[in-house]
């Protein structure tokens, strides 16, 4: 059986791993941080916790600070918790790697390591995340569970790649004005620097970067590639023929894919990079919502949603208490 | 050598018949332990802990905001039970589970044992877990307790005594299997030619038991494991067993009852469920029948059970048999239903419900162990000789307010076993929880969970109260 809700949690699990690995991993500039805070909408909270915030504070806040629900350590904790609830559906090796990574970040010694060399902490997280996906690839049967994991992974990647473009744009609102140094940083964030050199070449500039990250047919982190994968996985899950649609998620994915298939960097720059990525993110958001509605929510919940995260905390606590019944 | 200065302190010790005198079935173990230094042993313990941590073999401590997870403390010196000794335990357990199942069938049908006044009617009908709703409802194959985890202790003379029958949702079997796996990895050299019986068949036997009770003898039934959810302290075990059996683990909200049949929701629609291994208390199973505020149950489940379209393991209402007051009458049940003498003795029990016994209990509170009739996990318990005056008075009040709910037993300083401590190896009290499966045949997992009270002198072995566990070896007949 595919417990849809848990699959969705699992999907989130792999998402979050990826998200953090990539967002945090490749920072090369100090001023990277401000846009990161803005883009993740955490600036207010950060300001409250660290009135005289320094660069080091931002790093800690985004990585190990348990008061920040989006910090890497909290995402990993959530991911592990989710994986724990679906352990019957993932391989033992997947669990072990995810658990190992969580134990690494939760360990007291990691704080010291982080203070001395944040990069080595990020390296471990990135390689852990990649290893997790490799293990998934090598050990998980190609059942629906696997399809959902792929779906989640590509949704997250598409979103993140578009955000990397966005983050820089926040720093310098007119797309054209970014210097090549900043474009290089974007490429690094998306692990695309080598591909760029090989496929495009020369000083990184707006057209080339947008063409690669947004529209490339074969770079595994381009938005177009990810959406194409999502479209395929959605159809594999439902059994609907490609090119047609059986539910609103498939329709939305198909429409987005068509737009990306026939889009170009000129078009993006004409519209304005920021506007284009904002628009793209809202479509991706909606797509996530539709998938959730189609596969996760139970029929009766579609009128009155009871188990969404917004459920009031008292009710949650009540469920939790009941779950904690003493076993003999 | 680690064991050179081991002191049995005149208590029954599993390994030593007296100071310096190793029991024969521990001889090989002793020789092999002697080849290890304390430092090597410590290193191996750390390896074990890492292993458990990495695999996520942890339990959750309630009442802790963070929901802290702990590794169940594990002691590496295995407990060994020779074949002849185990045979007695096994025969005794089979006898006991047979009687308990006959008792449950009787209580939920003609109630002959009550009419014949072998057990006072009030005792059974006033039990908190008696379910009058299930009177005259048939359960598949007339089996009520399919999975039982009976707690045994050994008295001063080494005889096994039954401490309690856990016939609702006994837990701990996953630790038996994981402990063995970990021991094989970290202490392979202890096993060689020792002749240890394997525990691998448990999951297959459990699945066989579940399949056996499928309604209408259905072939290839769909079995699921129903968990309260991942906040439960035993969630690891739930998911572990489901994985081992290759069945789905579900929460109440994954199931739906339509027309007195139970279905599981899948992305491809509904699939009928035939057998539910539920790790959820009766109270929470069905908000339409039991607790209306249950968020974990399946509305309508009881109607499907009554209609005979789905089987539950264990059946509803088994709690009446493991009530600590009912416990006092199990010897009589064995005699009544089987016309046999009990093979396993039990601990003498005073019932606060009985006026004469109550007087005795109240006069001797400082010498007795007082237990609430339906609590588990080491909660709701008074250990007289260790208790403060205030605690004793609290229990006096509790007993007087609700005598039916309390029993008392003399303190049994049950057997000890050499256990690794900070500095050396010392004796610690141990109990044993074998796991009994009743299906087409009765399967008893060789050994079971040996729990050890890690605190010096403590006799409470529950994991929530500072207990740990050991690997338990039952030997092949030599």
């Amino acid at each position: 059986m595919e417990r849809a809700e848990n699959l969705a949690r699992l999907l989130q699990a792999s998402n979050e791993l990826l998200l953090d690995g990539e967002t945090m991993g490749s920072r090369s500039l100090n001023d990277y941080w401000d846009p990161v805070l803005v883009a993740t909408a955490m600036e207010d909270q950060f300001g409250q916790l660290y009135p005289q915030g320094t660069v080091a504070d931002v790093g800690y806040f985004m990585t190990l600070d348990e008061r920040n629900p989006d910090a890497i350590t909290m995402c990993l904790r959530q991911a592990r918790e989710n994986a724990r609830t679906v352990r019957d559906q993932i391989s033992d090796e997947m669990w072990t790697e995810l658990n190992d990574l969580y134990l690494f970040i939760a360990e007291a010694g990691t704080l010291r390591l982080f203070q001395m060399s944040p990069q080595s902490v990020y390296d471990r997280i990135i390689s852990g995340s990649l290893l997790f996906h490799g293990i998934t690839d090598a050990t998980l049967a190609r059942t629906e569970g696997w399809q959902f994991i792929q779906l989640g992974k590509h949704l997250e990647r598409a979103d993140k790649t578009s955000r990397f473009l966005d983050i820089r744009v926040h720093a310098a609102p007119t797309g054209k004005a970014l210097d090549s140094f900043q474009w290089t940083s974007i490429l690094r964030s998306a692990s695309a620097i080598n591909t760029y050199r090989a496929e495009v070449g020369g000083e990184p500039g707006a057209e080339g970067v947008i063409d690669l990250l947004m529209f490339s047919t074969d770079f595994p982190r381009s938005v177009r590639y990810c959406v194409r994968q999502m479209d395929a996985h959605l159809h594999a899950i439902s059994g609907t023929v490609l090119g047609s649609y059986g539910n609103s998620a498939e329709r939305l994915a198909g429409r987005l894919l068509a737009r990306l298939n026939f889009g170009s960097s000129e078009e993006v720059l004409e519209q304005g990079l920021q506007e284009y990525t904002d628009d793209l993110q809202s479509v991706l958001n909606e797509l996530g919502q539709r998938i959730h509605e189609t596969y996760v929510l139970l029929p009766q919940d579609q009128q009155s949603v009871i188990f969404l995260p917004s459920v009031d905390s008292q009710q949650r606590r009540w469920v939790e208490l009941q779950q904690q019944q003493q076993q003999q | 050598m680690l064991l050179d200065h081991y002191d049995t302190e005149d208590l029954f010790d599993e390994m030593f018949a007296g100071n310096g005198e190793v029991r024969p079935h521990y001889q090989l173990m002793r020789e092999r332990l002697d080849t290890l230094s304390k430092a090597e042993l410590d290193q191996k313990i750390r390896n074990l802990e890492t292993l458990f941590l990495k695999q996520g073999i942890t339990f959750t401590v309630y009442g802790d905001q963070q929901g802290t997870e702990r590794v169940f403390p594990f002691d590496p010196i295995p407990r060994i039970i020779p074949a002849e000794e185990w045979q007695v335990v096994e025969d005794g357990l089979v006898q006991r589970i047979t009687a308990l199942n006959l008792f449950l069938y009787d209580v939920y049908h003609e109630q002959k044992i009550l009419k014949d006044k072998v057990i006072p009617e009030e005792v059974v009908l006033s039990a908190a877990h008696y379910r009058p709703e299930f009177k005259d409802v048939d359960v598949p194959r007339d089996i009520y307790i399919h999975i039982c985890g009976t707690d045994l202790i050994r008295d001063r003379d080494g005889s096994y005594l039954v401490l309690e029958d856990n016939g609702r949702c006994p837990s701990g079997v996953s630790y038996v299997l994981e402990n063995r796996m970990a021991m094989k990895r970290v202490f392979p050299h202890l096993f060689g030619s020792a002749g240890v019986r394997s525990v691998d068949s448990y999951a297959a036997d459990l699945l066989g038991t579940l399949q056996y009770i499928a309604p209408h003898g259905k072939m290839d039934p769909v079995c699921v494991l129903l968990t309260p959810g991942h906040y439960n302290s035993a969630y690891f075990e739930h998911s572990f067993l489901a994985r081992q059996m290759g069945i789905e683990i579900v929460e109440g909200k994954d199931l739906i009852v339509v027309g007195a049949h139970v279905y599981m929701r899948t992305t491809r629609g509904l699939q009928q469920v035939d057998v539910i291994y539920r790790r959820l208390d009766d109270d929470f199973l069905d908000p339409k029948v039991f607790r209306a505020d249950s968020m974990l149950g399946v509305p309508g489940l009881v109607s499907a059970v009554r209609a005979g379209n789905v089987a539950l393991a264990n059946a509803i209402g088994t709690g009446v048999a493991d009530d600590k007051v009912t416990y006092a009458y199990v010897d009589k049940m064995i005699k009544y239903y089987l016309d046999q003498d009990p093979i396993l003795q039990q601990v003498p029990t005073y019932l606060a419900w009985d006026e004469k016994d109550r007087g005795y209990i109240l006069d001797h509170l400082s010498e007795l162990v007082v237990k609430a009739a339906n609590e588990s996990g080491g909660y709701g318990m008074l250990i007289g000789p260790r208790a403060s005056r205030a605690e004793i008075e609290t229990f006096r009040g509790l007993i007087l307010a609700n005598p039916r709910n309390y029993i008392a037993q003399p303190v049994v300083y049950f057997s000890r076993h050499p256990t690794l401590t900070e500095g050396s190896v010392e004796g610690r009290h141990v109990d044993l929880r074998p796991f009994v499966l009743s299906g087409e045949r009765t399967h008893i997992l060789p050994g079971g969970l040996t729990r050890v009270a890690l605190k010096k002198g403590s006799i409470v072995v529950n994991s929530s109260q500072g207990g740990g566990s050991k690997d338990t070896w039952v030997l092949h007949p030599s």
Side-chain angles (χ1 to χ4, degrees), chain A residues 258-316:
Chain A
R259 193 171 128 196
L260 291 164
N261 281 343
F262 301 102
S264 69
S265 56
E266 291 84 43
E267 187 189 322
V268 174
L269 291 169
E270 206 170 289
Q271 193 187 343
L273 180 55
Q274 186 172 1
E275 220 171 288
Y276 193 89
T277 53
D278 280 355
D279 190 32
L280 183 63
Q281 278 159 29
S282 72
V283 177
L284 288 170
N285 264 340
E286 199 189 336
L287 186 51
Q289 285 275 311
R290 292 273 177 272
I291 295 170
H292 189 73
E293 281 164 19
T294 308
Y295 290 109
V296 180
L297 290 187
L298 309 173
Q300 79 266 25
D301 297 339
Q302 287 177 356
Q303 289 91 40
S304 62
V305 176
I306 51 168
F307 278 104
L308 276 186
S310 60
V311 72
D312 68 281
S313 60
Q314 223 173 350
Q315 190 179 13
R316 247 166 195 261

Side-chain angles (χ1 to χ4, degrees), chain B residues 125-147:
Chain B
L125 304 188
S126 66
H129 295 288
Y130 174 61
R131 302 289 175 197
E133 300 90 337
F134 276 82
K135 180 100 182 4
D136 297 318
V137 175
D138 287 332
V139 301
R141 316 263 187 192
D142 294 336
I143 303 171
Y144 282 79
I145 301 180
H146 312 89
I147 301 108

Side-chain angles (χ1 to χ4, degrees), chain A residues 1 3 5 80-81 84-85 87-88 92 95 99-100 144 318 322-328, chain B residues 53-55 62 69 168-169 228 231-232 235 248-249 253-254 264 267 279 281 293 295 322:
Chain A
M1 158 183 101
R3 279 209 299 158
E5 176 165 5
R80 170 173 174 272
E81 195 57 27
R84 208 161 76 85
T85 65
R87 258 192 88 174
D88 56 320
D92 283 351
W95 160 260
N99 191 37
D100 213 28
E144 234 169 49
W318 181 228
Q322 291 198 353
Q323 289 193 7
Q324 294 182 351
Q325 53 186 263
Q326 186 62 40
Q327 301 261 311
Q328 283 184 307
Chain B
L53 204 59
K54 282 200 171 190
Q55 310 234 340
Y62 295 152
E69 284 171 42
R168 283 172 281 160
C169 298
Y231 291 114
N232 191 273
Y235 185 80
E248 305 302 335
I249 181 169
K253 58 181 187 282
D254 300 317
M264 141 170 85
T267 50
R279 296 293 298 260
D281 283 348
D293 64 352
M295 312 282 287
D322 73 3

